[in-house]
Amino acid sequence: MAGEGWNTAVTSIAPNQIRVRGYRIDELMGTVPFGSAVYLILRGELPEPAVGRVVEAMLVASIDHGVTPPSTLSVRNAASTGAPLNACLAAGALAVNRHHGGAVEDCMRLLARGAALLAGGASAAQAATQLVGDEKAAGRRLPGWGHRVHSDDPRSRRLLELARDAGVAGAHVAVAEAIVGELAKGGKQLPLNVDGAIAALLADLGFAPELANGFFILARTAGWMAHVAEELAREKPMRRIDQGAASYDGAAPRNLP
Amino acid sequence: MAGEGWNTAVTSIAPNQIRVRGYRIDELMGTVPFGSAVYLILRGELPEPAVGRVVEAMLVASIDHGVTPPSTLSVRNAASTGAPLNACLAAGALAVNRHHGGAVEDCMRLLARGAALLAGGASAAQAATQLVGDEKAAGRRLPGWGHRVHSDDPRSRRLLELARDAGVAGAHVAVAEAIVGELAKGGKQLPLNVDGAIAALLADLGFAPELANGFFILARTAGWMAHVAEELAREKPMRRIDQGAASYDGAAPRNLP
Amino acid sequence: MAGEGWNTAVTSIAPNQIRVRGYRIDELMGTVPFGSAVYLILRGELPEPAVGRVVEAMLVASIDHGVTPPSTLSVRNAASTGAPLNACLAAGALAVNRHHGGAVEDCMRLLARGAALLAGGASAAQAATQLVGDEKAAGRRLPGWGHRVHSDDPRSRRLLELARDAGVAGAHVAVAEAIVGELAKGGKQLPLNVDGAIAALLADLGFAPELANGFFILARTAGWMAHVAEELAREKPMRRIDQGAASYDGAAPRNLP
Amino acid sequence: MAGEGWNTAVTSIAPNQIRVRGYRIDELMGTVPFGSAVYLILRGELPEPAVGRVVEAMLVASIDHGVTPPSTLSVRNAASTGAPLNACLAAGALAVNRHHGGAVEDCMRLLARGAALLAGGASAAQAATQLVGDEKAAGRRLPGWGHRVHSDDPRSRRLLELARDAGVAGAHVAVAEAIVGELAKGGKQLPLNVDGAIAALLADLGFAPELANGFFILARTAGWMAHVAEELAREKPMRRIDQGAASYDGAAPRNLP
């Protein structure tokens, strides 16, 4: 028996013609940046160029964070046993969950509640007070503020700056920043971390929270590729990997030309 | 006992300072396109802007090819059983192997043999004759020429054009194109497919063949995200997915503004 | 810096001595069936032999269900692209979720509510009436009753029989069977399916619902191995797999000697 | 268009009747041990009961080896990030490769060369001399002899004993043991490890080397389930897991009743 008919609106394929959301892929190539193509395929429309640049900046921000993230351990550990590259990358994706990378999704849901309060007439400060109070009362940790290494995450600061320049910072960014102020009132210096900044931007750009960890996986795949290549080039197979025992011996600090 | 000490040259992490191959990540964000950041993290140096654009074009070329590729079936099938997004993406990566996406790696190894012949004084045509003869004698299929749907793949044509404009087309591209001519002599119209064009470009850019399927996975992750979102939005769980029964009902053909 | 100290109670390793939950592994080998070893490692104590046989029967019941389950499609599809065996098996595991295999976990949680009612003095019939009513009111589908192919699943019938012989059928089996009666009152012939029977047994044996899909994956791994071997032996790479187009051409029906 | 027709010989499904290789699954349940069902589904015929017991003993031998194997690190690391059980198990399978678990497959191929020498008239000792010489000349490490922890692996000893009792030890076991003698002549005490013993038995039972790491994954899935359960019960999320820092605090050594 033949399977049931069904439809797709992502990409149409005909001999010598591939169209993503209606646009010829060969026309997109070399014309729009990858970040805009990502936006297009997920949202159905091309973004303003400034928005495409914000998406690219989010991808660059997520490209790597050294050898300590658990997903990178998973990737290197798989490589060390002899796994092919695609299996190493899959192992990395499987370690991106609620407690690693997942804060973006949780934060998007929190900020959506804040944006709803703004839509109902509250100020960002009022929304922040209510959200922080609600989360505290429920015994939940705020997902997107504070970092175990960075007290002032350079990625968040830069992302918000780019978003403002591009004119895409909206209600979610406003609430995210107001929460920093609200936390400071309680004596806690918990700045927005990169998860929180990406959450605020993805939400202001209109992405669904369910997609959040996909952006992280997409961007980090490049970093994971570099870690697999390095593991194979520099280490013996089947080593016991202690993340805390790693030192950096790469390029010295340098500035863009 | 503590683990053995080891080194990494990819990314250095210090409080409030993240440097990828020596560059501050917040300086890279919004300044270099994602394709250039991918090049940087894999190669250790920033590419010329024109090269970064070629990398971005390769990523755009690989972003999606509709619902028939086996990796997309894997992704949609996992989504249909209720898998979270990261598991769907991992399932996709696990279906990128020798027979799907893997032609890039095989083609890079073939073209490397051709480039060695050129370095030894052969012309591109002579190298092509020898390679085609050797592969035929060994009973191997040429990986990177011909496509089950496209007789003239628009992605390959565009990639080579961009590579030429950027001045990065070298020995590998020359051999790849000479092989098309050699095959035509035998009466076979087997143009360079997208795998072959990407293989030629990655090789001319100096990437290792081992990384090839990572580029595909990285770019296609965006397409897979779109397919997961569509599967969840439009289909019932646990459906039997027949790829041959799908129709396109998305945006009508349109041109870039 | 050395990592933080931590403890494990599963297996102790010393030179020439491996002990699982305190027992020498070489003493277990050839002495206890695999099902008892599985019980031991998960629960910390060896089961009565009769209980070990019920665990083995559950594993045998789950070993395969032909080519239509989505996890088997995932496995064969990965094999068709050239994935190594372990990646095929991982792809299978990633397709075992809420809507495929996951009914066991959901059913265990439902039956636990029923067992609590029994502990509070209700009869199995009363508990069934309440559970069916509650689920109907909440608009939820009962997980563990009914099957798209089997109106009287031979695996469920046999499992309950073995459980009764082994003296392990308790409150959860009682509620599971009472629900069949309750559904029949409403005119629905929805017998306990294999997911429901396994759920009732795992619950009566005291396993946590969180482990349920692991049993399925463990047992089905054997079936998936058979499907990978068959795919590689009989099919061409990169074929488009239509599950509905498969016919059985194996051994004719036969009885145990 | 409907997909192409194809055949399967593994399991036939009809309403209320499931047959594995021709046998009713409900007749197999409770009658044959899981190890015999595994043999049946992979080989097409039920094994002698003694052979089924050897298969079960191999599964018990592989069920766990504490917290240091890289696959177990992968599993616990995924669990620590919040991955669901099936994703943890998939991550484990992805870390079973050439350098971990893979020695079984390599050893089977080596022993097959030895068995061919025996079939050609050589003695086991002669075959061992030749194989060890060939591998040494090729600069390859012998896969299946020696262990970083066990100088006399209790699992190998027991497996060979069970195989002899069951009458299944054949040419591959003979070569495997002769290689121990050959290595001793060179002054190296490298006893057969568990990978080597399983390789010899699987080969004497007639299994294909390609299936080897599937047996390991199947059995170890039970151990991985125990490690996931323990990780969730005893540890905080997102901890940095140092395998070398673990201590055993489980059941004291004990004997079977």
Side-chain angles (χ1 to χ4, degrees), chain A residues 6 11 15 47-48 58 82-83 90-91 104 108 118 131 145 153 165 183-184 196-197 225 232 244 246-247:
Chain A
W6 56 289
T11 302
E48 294 296 314
M58 286 194 295
V104 179
M108 286 177 80
L118 261 60
L131 290 173
W145 288 265
D153 196 313
D165 291 354
L183 292 167
M225 288 167 70
L232 297 180
S247 307

Side-chain angles (χ1 to χ4, degrees), chain C residues 103-113 143 172 198-200 202-203 206-210 212:
Chain C
V104 180
E105 181 171 345
D106 288 343
C107 185
M108 287 178 79
R109 296 188 193 284
L110 183 80
L111 296 176
R113 285 158 48 201
H172 301 87
I198 288 177
L202 286 177
F207 284 97
E210 289 77 14

